[in-house]
Amino acid sequence: NGLESDVLKHINLHIERQKFYVIVGPNGAGKSTFIKLLARLYDPSEGEIAIGDKNIQLYNYQSYHDLFSAIMQNYKIFDYTVGENVALDKYEDTPECRCRVLQCLETAGIKDKILSLEKGIDTRLGRAFDDSGVYLSGGETQKVAFARVLYRDSDIIILDEPSSALDAFAENNLLEVFLKGTKGKTVFYISHRLSAAKYADKVIFIKDGVVEGFDSHNNLIENCPNYKDMYDAQAKHYR
């Protein structure tokens, strides 16, 4: 794309199914680029990404994308009902669809809040078309977005800084919801905060476009000086 240097270089990782990976690093390190390559929103200029021994470019493009669900940094909640926001184009006003929407809202930790509203899952999120529509808090909105991810029931889930606008307490609550709701899935959780790292099966620490660490949080604290420095710099605000 006209850049003078590679955004990422010398990446060589083996990702296992049904593991929880936390991707951390300074701003501009290449974290989101790493995920966009994995999801095939970009193709690498060199090397390859493979599932097993098969290059992902050999798969049908749509079929490959169907493996993924994501909450990106710029996710949107639409001025539609809660049910429509969760199921999107798959929404149908049937008992089966409504039941599944409620199940996803429950797993996302927002069902009780939605059912407390006068119109339940038929409540509009916004007031552009209905003066009785509601506005949810930041944490509540992200839980609705997470319910949308769950509704897709994809094998791989990407959470790209989903808690960046939340305070530490709300982030911890949301992280607990994510961990519970994504069991049995392969999860990539991108964060500029390292508070999520201790929950990871493995942390992917990226700095200046290079993976400097790929291990558990405790092992990186012991063996990766730049990771420890970043952790200590953040941790002092909470001690």
Side-chain angles (χ1 to χ4, degrees):
N1 293 328
L3 295 176
E4 294 183 1
S5 60
D6 294 333
V7 177
L8 293 168
K9 44 192 176 288
H10 311 307
I11 305 293
N12 184 16
L13 302 178
H14 176 71
I15 301 298
E16 297 178 71
R17 294 181 66 242
Q18 301 182 356
K19 300 290 187 181
F20 188 81
Y21 295 93
V22 174
I23 305 173
V24 297
N27 289 336
K31 301 185 297 294
S32 292
T33 300
F34 176 87
I35 281 301
K36 289 173 181 175
L37 285 166
L38 195 66
R40 211 183 159 197
L41 300 179
Y42 303 151
D43 286 329
S45 53
E46 292 182 24
E48 68 171 20
I49 302 167
I51 296 179
D53 295 327
K54 186 174 178 180
N55 190 314
I56 63 172
Q57 295 184 36
L58 299 178
Y59 288 87
N60 173 273
Y61 192 71
Q62 186 58 54
S63 296
Y64 185 77
H65 275 196
D66 288 343
L67 295 173
F68 292 84
S69 296
I71 305 177
M72 307 303 279
Q73 293 180 50
N74 58 347
Y75 76 91
K76 294 288 187 287
I77 293 295
F78 303 101
D79 203 316
Y80 294 119
T81 68
V82 174
E84 290 167 330
N85 266 286
V86 171
L88 296 178
D89 61 320
K90 303 292 190 297
Y91 184 76
E92 297 176 352
D93 191 11
T94 63
E96 294 79 12
C97 180
R98 295 173 69 86
C99 180
R100 187 159 172 228
V101 167
L102 285 169
Q103 288 172 346
C104 294
L105 291 169
E106 181 174 22
T107 303
I110 191 69
K111 177 184 172 183
D112 290 345
K113 169 66 178 181
I114 298 304
L115 291 184
S116 74
L117 303 173
E118 184 179 352
K119 296 182 180 178
I121 67 170
D122 298 314
T123 303
R124 273 193 177 271
L125 298 182
R127 296 185 183 141
F129 306 107
D130 185 349
D131 291 339
S132 67
V134 303
Y135 295 105
L136 300 176
S137 71
E140 291 166 345
T141 298
Q142 281 161 319
K143 287 178 180 178
V144 171
F146 183 48
R148 178 188 295 165
V149 164
L150 296 172
Y151 194 93
R152 276 178 58 85
D153 195 27
S154 301
D155 290 336
I156 304 169
I157 294 176
I158 295 169
L159 305 168
D160 188 356
E161 304 221 33
S163 58
S164 58
L166 303 181
D167 62 41
F169 292 106
E171 179 192 38
N172 191 60
N173 173 262
L174 197 66
L175 187 57
E176 289 178 359
V177 168
F178 289 156
L179 286 165
K180 179 181 176 183
T182 58
K183 284 191 182 303
K185 305 288 187 182
T186 305
V187 182
F188 295 93
Y189 185 100
I190 304 175
S191 181
H192 65 282
R193 297 175 183 168
L194 298 186
S195 52
K198 61 181 179 288
Y199 297 105
D201 290 301
K202 280 193 175 180
V203 177
I204 302 171
F205 175 55
I206 302 177
K207 187 173 186 293
D208 298 328
V210 176
V211 175
E212 286 199 0
F214 182 50
D215 209 332
S216 69
H217 167 71
N218 289 337
N219 286 346
L220 289 180
I221 289 291
E222 292 292 325
N223 303 313
C224 184
N226 284 330
Y227 179 83
K228 185 178 187 302
D229 288 347
M230 187 175 177
Y231 180 78
D232 288 342
Q234 293 186 16
K236 69 181 181 183
H237 297 294
Y238 299 100
R239 288 173 181 153

